[in-house]
């Protein structure tokens, strides 16, 4: 009996100790998952409207720590958590008017690309020079997201969070891929520096080559950004032009603004006439031309005489050409169109938006989506058609490249206007659907990056704000509030020289994708050789 009692007593003593130990082990296993998700949130916080661009570096550093030494399956899961932490808050505006379903579906799909990057980064984490391979893999993931599915969704490119950062001049050197690569490289390199510093304290044995790669991963992007500064300039090369940007506002936010199309048109006519009165009174300099936003006339002025009459009235009042954002139907096609409206001749040129928005301007998989939720198909009753040619308007002798709203996220869409001769860029947009969300600030940051990338003045006329004028060095010199009627007038420089980014086009991105493929191939080959050696 004594033996039995003793054994029971010992069992009772060990049980309370083992349970906490088991719980502690379980909690410890959750640390990488929590760190992956939280570092994704940290990356989101680095994006506008905040100016905390530098938080992208510790975000990538933690991501590198989480993935180091893990197999590709763990990398896949941790990468997905990182993607959710980043994209869920970044893209919450997509569900402002349509509910959480489309927002969550979009994030779930986009996070798959980040998951694949995580699997790749885990695979290359055992290689020499791992920060380089990891950063290149991130850019390869962005390149895939910008093309798939449904012609891609590049929103959330790392470059778009760096409009206020020290790395911004690199946009002029190699575009958004080089800028994003520099940020990711610096972040992954930062982790390596910390890891090796800790290792040296413990063992005092650190390979010089590994230390050199880590330090260079941090230093080279910073030095490169400083070296690229001479590429950034706001000096006029082809003279100057006085531009007018009109924000007419909308009756109310949300999808229902489309039901009040005539009111939106009248608001923009009224604000243009108010600007004309101020010019006549000598309060404001007369612009050489005026830019209206996307959807400023959702009534087709080619088919509706009344719409044509009021636009004509506005153009005659201000006495200069106006770029009007219209929705028109031509040859059975619905087009999101910019119309160059001359005060004497009327409409003289058009540009049809080429990169149209899936689920906003056309509905892929319409029958499948209708079977899931018929309300979603009613939101896009008729699909828009794509334009096929770049849009560069000759406005009072200035060549103005048109990049309509969503197109600003796509490298090729902006570059094509510059290579087609644009001396400045206009990004007419309509953000009224997204209320007062961060969307307008995220898009404004894109336009700032594009200004530096191609060394062009960029104007952003928006129906409901924030409208802005951006210098070729990325500075915002004037901007409006949100949901107010306002106009901006300013003399801006015209430029015709091309930055290396403009000249190189897709080549930097292609080179980084090849680097990523090389690192991944090396990692796979090393793994195969290791397994064979183990079998022997």
């Amino acid at each position: 009996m004594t033996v039995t009692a003793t054994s029971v007593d010992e069992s009772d003593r060990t049980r309370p100790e083992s349970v906490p130990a088991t719980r502690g082990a379980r909690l410890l296993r959750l640390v990488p998952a929590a760190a992956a998700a939280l570092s994704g949130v940290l990356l989101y916080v680095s994006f506008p409207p905040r100016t905390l661009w530098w938080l992208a570096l510790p975000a990538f550093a933690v991501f590198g720590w989480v993935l180091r030494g893990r197999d590709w399956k763990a990398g896949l899961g941790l990468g997905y958590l990182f993607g959710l932490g980043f994209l869920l808050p970044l893209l919450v505006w997509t569900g402002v008017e349509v509910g959480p379903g489309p927002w969550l579906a979009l994030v779930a799909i986009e996070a798959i690309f980040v998951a694949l990057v995580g699997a790749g980064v885990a695979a290359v984490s055992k290689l020499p020079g791992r920060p380089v391979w990891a950063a290149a893999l991130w850019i390869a993931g962005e390149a895939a997201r910008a093309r798939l599915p449904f012609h891609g969704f590049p929103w959330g490119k790392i470059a778009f969070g760096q409009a206020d950062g020290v790395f911004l001049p690199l946009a002029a050197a190699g575009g958004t891929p080089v800028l994003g690569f520099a940020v990711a490289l610096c972040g992954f390199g930062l982790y390596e520096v910390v890891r090796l510093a800790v290792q040296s304290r413990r063992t005092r044995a650190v390979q010089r080559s590994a230390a050199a790669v880590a330090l260079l991963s941090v230093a080279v992007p910073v030095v490169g950004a400083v070296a690229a500064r001479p590429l950034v300039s706001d000096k006029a090369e082809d003279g100057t032009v006085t531009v007018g940007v009109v924000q007419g506002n909308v009756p109310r936010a949300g999808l229902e603004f489309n039901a009040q199309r005539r009111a939106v048109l009248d608001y923009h006519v009224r604000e243009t006439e108010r600007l004309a009165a101020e010019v006549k009174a000598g309060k404001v300099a007369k612009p050489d031309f005026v830019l209206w936003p996307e959807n400023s006339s959702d009534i087709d002025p080619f088919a509706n005489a009344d719409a044509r009459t009021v636009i004509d009235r506005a153009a005659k009042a201000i006495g200069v050409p106006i770029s009007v954002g219209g929705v028109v139907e031509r040859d059975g096609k619905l087009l999101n169109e910019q119309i160059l409206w001359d005060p004497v001749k009327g409409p003289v040129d058009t540009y049809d938006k080429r990169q149209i928005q899936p689920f906003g301007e056309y509905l892929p998989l319409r029958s499948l989506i209708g079977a899931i939720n018929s309300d979603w198909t009613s939101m896009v009753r008729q699909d828009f058609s794509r334009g096929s040619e770049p849009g560069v308007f000759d406005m009072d002798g200035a060549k103005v490249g048109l990049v309509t709203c969503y197109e600003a996220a796509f490298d090729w869409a902006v570059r094509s206007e510059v290579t087609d001769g644009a001396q400045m860029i206009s990004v007419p947009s309509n953000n009224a659907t997204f209320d007062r969300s961060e969307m307008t600030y995220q898009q404004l940051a894109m336009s700032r990056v594009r200004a530096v990338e191609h060394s062009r003045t960029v104007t952003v006329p928006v129906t409901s704000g924030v409208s802005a004028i951006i210098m070729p060095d990325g500075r915002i010199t004037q901007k409006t509030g949100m949901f107010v009627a306002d106009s901006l007038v300013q003399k801006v420089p015209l430029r015709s020289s091309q930055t290396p980014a403009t000249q190189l086009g897709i080549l930097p991105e292609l080179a980084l994708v090849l680097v990523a493929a090389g690192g991944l191939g090396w990692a796979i080959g090393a793994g195969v050789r290791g397994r064979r050696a183990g079998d022997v």
Side-chain angles (χ1 to χ4, degrees):
M1 293 297 294
T2 304
V3 173
T4 304
T6 302
S7 62
V8 169
D9 289 344
E10 288 175 354
S11 175
D12 288 342
R13 284 198 301 270
T14 57
R15 189 177 295 114
E17 293 175 1
S18 62
V19 170
T22 302
R23 287 176 181 169
R26 288 175 180 171
L27 288 173
L28 196 62
R29 286 196 293 269
L30 290 176
V31 168
L38 289 174
S39 59
V41 174
L42 194 64
L43 184 59
Y44 153 71
V45 176
S46 74
F47 272 67
R50 295 155 297 276
T51 57
L52 303 174
W53 57 270
W54 51 271
L55 286 178
L57 305 184
F60 278 113
V62 175
F63 192 40
W65 167 69
V66 165
L67 294 175
R68 176 170 165 75
R70 300 189 181 275
D71 62 29
W72 68 270
K73 293 180 182 178
L76 195 70
L78 292 169
Y80 197 76
L81 289 173
F82 182 84
L84 291 178
F86 172 44
L87 295 171
L88 272 170
L90 185 80
L91 302 179
V92 67
W93 51 267
T94 60
V96 166
E97 293 296 331
V98 295
W103 162 50
L104 295 175
L106 174 64
V107 170
I109 293 170
E110 293 299 308
I112 293 173
F113 292 93
V114 185
L116 293 172
V117 170
V121 172
V124 301
S125 68
K126 303 177 183 68
L127 298 179
R130 59 187 65 87
V132 177
W133 311 120
L137 279 163
W138 183 270
I139 299 306
E142 287 190 344
R145 279 207 305 126
R147 292 165 173 82
L148 299 168
F150 312 125
H151 298 277
F153 186 76
W155 218 278
K157 271 190 167 189
I158 298 306
F160 297 149
Q162 296 296 308
D164 292 292
V166 298
F167 300 106
L168 181 60
L170 289 169
T176 60
V178 169
L179 174 53
F181 174 75
V183 175
L185 177 63
C186 200
F188 286 124
L190 180 62
Y191 163 63
E192 284 297 304
V193 169
V194 173
R195 183 184 71 83
L196 293 174
V198 172
Q199 181 180 324
S200 67
R201 286 190 174 187
R202 290 176 177 174
T203 66
R204 296 178 180 271
V206 175
Q207 290 184 353
R208 290 184 178 179
S209 59
V213 169
L215 291 171
L216 287 172
S217 297
V218 175
V220 167
V222 176
V223 172
V226 173
R229 278 295 308 169
L231 298 174
V232 181
S233 173
D234 63 355
K235 293 181 179 178
E237 294 175 333
D238 303 313
T240 60
V241 66
T242 300
V243 60
V245 172
V246 166
Q247 175 177 302
N249 202 11
V250 298
R252 60 174 174 264
L255 295 175
E256 283 305 307
F257 85 92
N258 282 313
Q260 303 181 57
R261 296 177 297 169
R262 179 53 194 263
V264 175
L265 173 57
D266 286 344
Y267 282 10
H268 285 83
V269 170
R270 184 186 308 163
E271 181 60 25
T272 303
E273 290 177 332
R274 188 194 67 80
L275 174 61
E278 288 199 338
V279 170
K280 187 175 181 180
K283 297 178 181 179
V284 179
K286 183 177 181 178
D288 295 306
F289 52 85
V290 169
L291 302 166
W292 282 10
E294 177 188 35
N295 298 126
S296 47
S297 178
D298 277 353
I299 301 174
D300 185 349
F302 296 105
N304 187 293
D306 191 42
R308 183 182 184 113
T309 297
V310 295
I311 295 172
D312 251 338
R313 192 179 78 204
K316 284 178 168 58
I318 194 69
V320 297
I322 302 176
S323 178
V324 178
V327 174
V328 306
E329 190 165 355
R330 184 179 299 114
D331 301 326
K333 296 180 179 180
L334 191 64
L335 301 166
N336 185 336
E337 190 166 82
Q338 289 294 310
I339 308 165
L340 176 55
W341 207 283
D342 186 86
V344 176
K345 301 176 182 177
V348 294
D349 201 358
T350 60
Y351 166 64
D352 299 323
K353 187 176 181 181
R354 294 170 292 166
Q355 187 69 45
I356 56 177
Q357 183 183 350
F359 305 100
E361 293 173 305
Y362 78 101
L363 198 61
L365 309 174
R366 181 177 287 273
S367 58
L368 175 61
I369 291 171
I372 297 171
N373 190 328
S374 59
D375 290 340
W376 293 347
T377 58
S378 65
M379 292 179 187
V380 186
R381 294 185 179 89
Q382 181 179 353
D383 291 341
F384 280 81
S385 295
R386 298 175 184 275
S388 58
E389 300 293 332
V392 179
F393 286 170
D394 187 337
M395 303 187 75
D396 196 38
K399 295 187 181 301
V400 182
L402 283 303
V403 180
T404 306
C405 196
Y406 183 58
E407 292 183 317
F410 293 83
D411 294 347
W412 68 267
V414 185
R415 177 178 179 266
S416 66
E417 311 304 74
V418 179
T419 56
D420 204 46
Q423 297 168 306
M424 63 170 286
I425 297 168
S426 182
V427 185
S429 303
N430 174 21
N431 298 339
T433 305
F434 306 109
D435 204 353
R436 296 181 181 273
S437 70
E438 294 181 356
M439 183 270 186
T440 190
Y441 299 102
Q442 293 171 9
Q443 191 175 54
L444 187 59
M446 289 180 195
S447 296
R448 293 179 63 192
V449 173
R450 298 305 186 190
V452 173
E453 182 180 18
H454 299 292
S455 195
R456 294 293 187 272
T457 297
V458 177
T459 58
V460 186
V462 185
T463 50
S464 56
V466 173
S467 299
I469 295 176
I470 305 167
M471 290 293 99
D473 59 4
R475 288 179 300 118
I476 296 176
T477 52
Q478 287 193 63
K479 64 179 181 179
T480 70
M482 294 185 72
F483 294 99
V484 294
D486 203 354
S487 57
L488 308 173
V489 177
Q490 184 176 321
K491 183 181 290 187
V492 299
L494 298 177
R495 294 177 60 85
S496 56
S497 64
Q498 294 188 1
T499 63
T502 307
Q503 295 170 339
L504 292 170
I506 197 176
L507 293 179
E509 183 181 60
L510 180 59
L512 289 169
V513 169
L514 291 175
V515 169
L520 202 56
W522 185 4
I524 293 171
V528 170
R529 288 192 295 272
R531 286 193 295 272
R532 287 176 179 172
D535 293 340
V536 174

